[in-house]
Amino acid sequence: MKAMILAAGRGQRLRPLTDTLPKPLVPVNGKPLIVYHLEKLAAIGIKEVVINTAWLGHQIPQALGNGDKWQLTIHYIHETEALETGGGICNALPLLGDEPFFVINGDVFVEYLPDSLADMQLPDNCLAHLWLVDNPEHNPSGDFGLSNHYLQNKSETMLTFSGMGIYHPKLFDKAPTGAFGTPLLIRPAADKQLIHAEHFTGLWCDVGTIERLHQLEKQIQ
């Protein structure tokens, strides 16, 4: 299975760090955030990774190279204007191929990736498998519910989308052009019971602010 790291965001709330550094290269205890992803992807057997870039995007291939350091092959795709999560994935589909692929946001930290991820198969007729986490303080209402391993748009118990998912290219067959977020496609598919999901219980952090960055560094020291 191929993987994609979404790394094109501007990172406004992490300024001034992101005035001179793309968000995925912001260091967490001395190591760029995106390197944690690469290490974990390599450890579970992923061989090819696509990384999209936009703001200060030239710095990312300069820092990471071709992936040899992690026994990975890294492909870069630059966006002149950030296309958001859905548009970024659509733009990268020619590099991702015709089989399901894994996507993770470049601005989250996860304690681990499921060992079975590299060989995971989507259930019949499903277009995606998403991981949900307990609601953090900055998103108390959550994003989605979970029922019998299927994603629900509304539920008594709501959880937050982790930014991790396996997607079938068919999910993007009717995608609009330009910038858009993946929920535009996920929500109607969830209503048709086409999105599988599960609860991720490991350490997870959306590194969206300086305060959260410092909290994460203390947690993983």
Side-chain angles (χ1 to χ4, degrees):
M1 180 180 292
K2 295 182 181 180
M4 180 175 186
I5 302 175
L6 295 171
R10 171 64 176 86
Q12 291 280 6
R13 293 172 298 168
L14 275 171
R15 298 179 66 187
L17 295 178
T18 50
D19 285 341
T20 57
L21 200 65
K23 183 163 53 171
L25 292 184
V26 168
V28 178
N29 287 341
K31 183 189 297 184
L33 183 58
I34 197 170
V35 171
Y36 288 94
H37 287 345
L38 295 174
E39 291 174 344
K40 290 176 173 65
L41 289 168
I44 63 169
I46 297 292
K47 300 298 183 185
E48 287 190 64
V49 179
V50 177
I51 300 175
N52 67 330
T53 66
W55 172 252
L56 300 176
H58 65 282
Q59 293 188 27
I60 295 179
Q62 287 176 355
L64 304 179
N66 62 8
D68 280 353
K69 182 177 180 180
W70 302 279
Q71 289 78 54
L72 294 168
T73 299
I74 298 178
H75 307 279
Y76 298 97
I77 184 165
H78 185 70
E79 302 167 10
T80 53
E81 295 184 7
L83 295 172
E84 300 183 35
T85 53
I89 294 171
C90 280
N91 192 47
L93 285 176
L95 294 173
L96 292 166
D98 299 326
E99 298 298 321
F101 50 86
F102 175 69
V103 176
I104 185 168
N105 289 357
D107 57 359
V108 300
F109 175 90
V110 292
E111 182 180 6
Y112 59 85
L113 296 175
D115 290 338
S116 60
L117 191 156
D119 300 314
M120 187 178 290
Q121 301 294 318
L122 289 177
D124 290 345
N125 300 320
C126 274
L127 295 177
H129 179 104
L130 306 184
W131 281 269
L132 309 179
V133 296
D134 293 334
N135 298 329
E137 291 183 3
H138 62 272
N139 192 41
S141 299
D143 303 311
F144 299 103
L146 182 60
S147 177
N148 296 321
H149 302 293
Y150 282 92
L151 196 74
Q152 307 290 316
N153 283 313
K154 293 182 179 180
S155 175
E156 290 185 6
T157 302
M158 299 291 282
L159 298 167
T160 292
F161 176 42
S162 68
M164 294 190 293
I166 294 174
Y167 299 94
H168 196 290
K170 289 181 180 178
L171 177 66
F172 302 91
D173 280 353
K174 297 181 180 180
T177 57
F180 70 94
T182 51
L184 183 70
L185 304 177
I186 290 171
R187 291 195 178 280
D191 284 336
K192 298 175 182 177
Q193 294 272 291
L194 296 176
I195 308 293
H196 228 233
E198 66 179 280
H199 189 192
F200 180 82
T201 57
L203 174 62
W204 172 92
C205 178
D206 175 358
V207 192
T209 65
I210 298 291
E211 180 183 11
R212 280 183 237 156
L213 173 62
H214 292 332
Q215 289 174 347
L216 174 63
E217 288 182 320
K218 290 179 182 179
Q219 283 181 287
I220 64 176
Q221 269 181 342

